[in-house]
Amino acid sequence: MPVQPIAKPRTTAVVLAGGTGQRVGLSIPKQLLKIAGKAVIEHTLTIFEQAESIDDVIVLMAPGFVPDVEKIIAKAGLTKVSRIIEGGSTRNETTERAIAALGEGLADGEDCNVLFHDAVRPLLSQRVIQDCVDALERYQAVDVAIPSADTIIVTRTHGDDGEFITEVPDRSRLRRGQTPQGFKLSTIRRAYEIAAGDPNFQATDDCSVVLRYLPDVPIHVVAGDEYNMKVTQPVDVFIADKLFQLASTASPRQADESVYREMLAGRTLVVFGGSYGIGADICDLAEQYGASVYALGRSTTGTHVENPEHVDDALSRAYAETGRIDYVINTAGVLRIGKLAEADNATIQEALNVNYLAPVQIARASYKYLAETKGQLLLYTSSSYTRGRAEYSLYSSTKAAMVNLTQALADEWAGDGIRVNCLNPERTATPMRTKAFGQEPDGSLLSSVAVARSSLDVLLSELTGHVIDVRQQDPTREASEASGFEAALASVLDRQADV
């Protein structure tokens, strides 16, 4: 008889959202505060929704705010959330309520994995989640921590004289604890049962309960990351918002040739800026896979993207001839180098019209068509969007606007099923770049075909609201080795030398 594979235990994520917003000066719980256009708790729940190793999610919410979370979950379509329970007056009481809820429905002797995570840590990576689940195959308790970059001091207060140092621990052995904290349900339940008999029981986290009351149970440490910050102080709100703004995604894995044909055959693409460079290569590739393609450009079709009538006419023609528009892509742009004080009005107006107002007009005109097909709008930014550079003020600022436009429209159009993304290719060999910089060394630039291929991958993905980096490194390796925010840091550092 064939050996049956051993079924893996169920893994439940318990999102602890019982805190208030007092320390950030709010009248509502901080987990309901909006960061990057969404409530903090929505960001956190979405991470677990996307985690393959998480089977379901339970939310422990601050008393009186359960309906608020229910509305967020319904609107976001988060299907893994199975229960929303009011939390207790303390962290320990909240955990005890979660343990009781987890035990319901389990057969006698059945165990499961549980990950307790702070709702106000909305930057948790998939890598950390998976490492915790993997560690629970071997250990009964798991913590997440990172090395301390700061020297830690121990102090004692002496009356009115203030604090004085009494000890400076060896920093090499110090770690900063994060969440999630993972356990076998039977282990954390037993620890709390023993703790209940201690009249002095008090703890601020769950691993310390196991450490104190089940000292023979080893607690394995999984490496956390710096981005897994806790939104506690007012400055944390600002930092987290900026991290979401700057975060980028590695280019999706390239699809098999047959998948391109299957997903593009019979679809309609409208490409503004399709005369040459990236836009022309997108058109060529899409046509090879059976799509109906409308390549629009100033020099070929007389289409001026800064003219709203030209944009409307192009879209209405494509719709009239094919009966649908699935993807709208805008690669049109102008790059003028020079000091702003020396630029004439015509140069400034051209940059604003082509690089900013045209994408806005294209987005507005495309909406009704893309809503009908649940399609996608694809825009393009530049590596300079994170920080403007001297003599590129017009270009950098308008490209930064594309990122904000993408993120805003992705939220605005989510209910209509329209996806909006923004591609961020590193320096690419295009006629526009050659005109601005002349010939550059072989191998120093991405090919426009490679960027076009990545553009199709994004169109065929389920991504929305993302800035997708396209770099010369292997995108598959980059995606597998780094989390979104780890990749963002590397990308931001790389951009310091790019244009």
Side-chain angles (χ1 to χ4, degrees), residues 141-364:
V142 176
D143 202 356
V144 173
I146 58 175
S148 176
D150 298 316
T151 297
I152 305 300
I153 61 174
V154 179
T155 67
R156 178 176 296 173
T157 301
H158 290 271
D160 295 333
D161 293 331
E163 291 183 297
F164 294 85
I165 294 177
T166 60
E167 185 183 353
V168 181
D170 180 4
R171 189 174 68 187
S172 66
R173 299 185 60 191
L174 297 177
R175 299 292 183 269
R176 290 158 50 199
Q178 300 182 331
T179 63
Q181 293 184 333
F183 308 92
K184 295 295 183 183
L185 177 58
S186 58
T187 299
I188 190 66
R189 178 194 288 134
R190 178 60 180 155
Y192 269 89
E193 287 173 350
I194 298 172
D198 181 356
N200 300 315
F201 169 56
Q202 187 175 3
T204 58
D205 75 294
D206 299 308
C207 278
S208 63
V209 180
V210 173
L211 183 65
R212 181 173 180 181
Y213 297 103
L214 295 176
D216 293 333
V217 174
I219 303 173
H220 180 70
V221 178
V222 164
D225 62 56
E226 290 287 349
Y227 286 104
N228 189 16
M229 62 178 290
K230 189 175 183 180
V231 179
T232 303
Q233 303 296 337
V235 68
D236 299 332
V237 177
F238 173 80
I239 293 172
D241 195 66
K242 285 302 176 185
L243 285 173
F244 273 108
Q245 182 187 37
L246 297 177
S248 56
T249 302
S251 180
R253 188 183 299 273
Q254 295 198 5
D256 181 82
E257 291 288 305
S258 61
V259 176
Y260 287 121
R261 294 189 184 92
E262 179 183 347
M263 298 186 72
L264 287 173
R267 302 294 191 269
T268 299
L269 279 77
V270 178
V271 183
F272 295 96
S275 299
Y276 56 81
I278 297 169
D281 289 333
I282 291 173
C283 294
D284 291 342
L285 286 172
E287 283 184 333
Q288 292 175 28
Y289 296 122
S292 298
V293 177
Y294 290 79
L296 306 160
R298 186 188 300 260
S299 60
T300 52
T301 61
T303 304
H304 294 245
V305 291
E306 64 273 30
N307 187 324
E309 292 183 0
H310 287 194
V311 171
D312 286 335
D313 289 346
L315 291 168
S316 61
R317 178 192 162 206
Y319 185 79
E321 293 179 359
T322 67
R324 60 187 301 136
I325 295 177
D326 300 275
Y327 306 109
V328 177
I329 300 102
N330 178 49
T331 66
V334 293
L335 171 59
R336 301 286 184 258
I337 302 172
K339 297 178 180 178
L340 181 62
E342 298 173 359
D344 57 31
N345 288 335
T347 299
I348 294 172
Q349 197 62 53
E350 178 192 42
L352 293 175
N353 287 344
V354 176
N355 292 347
Y356 178 67
L357 292 178
V360 170
Q361 297 286 3
I362 290 169
R364 185 175 67 169

Side-chain angles (χ1 to χ4, degrees), residues 414-434:
D416 301 301
I418 305 173
R419 288 166 290 126
V420 187
N421 289 297
C422 188
L423 217 69
N424 176 37
E426 68 176 343
R427 296 172 298 173
T428 306
T430 63
M432 183 179 76
R433 183 174 180 89
T434 300

Side-chain angles (χ1 to χ4, degrees), residues 443-458:
S444 64
L445 304 175
L446 271 172
S447 72
S448 59
V449 173
V451 178
R453 175 73 65 173
S454 292
S455 299
L456 291 186
D457 291 332
V458 173

Side-chain angles (χ1 to χ4, degrees), residues 34-184:
K34 283 198 172 183
I35 290 179
K38 298 179 182 178
V40 170
I41 194 170
E42 181 178 344
H43 288 294
T44 303
L45 292 175
T46 300
I47 294 167
F48 287 110
E49 180 82 12
Q50 297 170 348
E52 294 182 1
S53 56
I54 298 299
D55 296 297
D56 66 317
V57 181
I58 296 177
V59 179
L60 276 294
M61 188 58 192
F65 291 93
V66 168
D68 297 82
V69 179
E70 290 174 339
K71 291 177 183 177
I72 289 171
I73 290 169
K75 183 178 179 181
L78 301 173
T79 60
K80 286 188 179 180
V81 178
S82 59
R83 296 185 67 178
I84 307 170
I85 305 168
E86 282 198 351
S89 58
T90 65
R91 167 65 181 263
N92 301 143
E93 185 181 340
T94 297
T95 299
E96 288 171 342
R97 292 188 181 188
I99 292 172
L102 286 164
E104 298 174 6
L106 288 180
D108 289 342
E110 185 180 1
D111 211 349
C112 69
N113 297 334
V114 54
L115 300 185
F116 292 101
H117 184 67
D118 298 325
V120 287
R121 292 185 186 271
L123 306 180
L124 175 65
S125 72
Q126 295 294 336
R127 191 270 303 169
V128 170
I129 294 175
Q130 190 61 54
D131 285 354
C132 287
V133 175
D134 291 344
L136 286 173
E137 293 182 11
R138 182 176 179 183
Y139 304 99
Q140 298 177 52
V142 176
D143 202 356
V144 173
I146 58 175
S148 176
D150 298 316
T151 297
I152 305 300
I153 61 174
V154 179
T155 67
R156 178 176 296 173
T157 301
H158 290 271
D160 295 333
D161 293 331
E163 291 183 297
F164 294 85
I165 294 177
T166 60
E167 185 183 353
V168 181
D170 180 4
R171 189 174 68 187
S172 66
R173 299 185 60 191
L174 297 177
R175 299 292 183 269
R176 290 158 50 199
Q178 300 182 331
T179 63
Q181 293 184 333
F183 308 92
K184 295 295 183 183

Side-chain angles (χ1 to χ4, degrees), residues 1-48:
M1 293 180 62
V3 178
Q4 296 295 324
I6 300 175
K8 289 190 175 182
R10 187 175 189 82
T11 299
T12 298
V14 174
V15 176
L16 302 170
T20 65
Q22 291 180 349
R23 278 185 284 184
V24 290
L26 298 172
S27 58
I28 61 171
K30 54 194 173 183
Q31 54 271 24
L32 296 179
L33 178 71
K34 283 198 172 183
I35 290 179
K38 298 179 182 178
V40 170
I41 194 170
E42 181 178 344
H43 288 294
T44 303
L45 292 175
T46 300
I47 294 167
F48 287 110

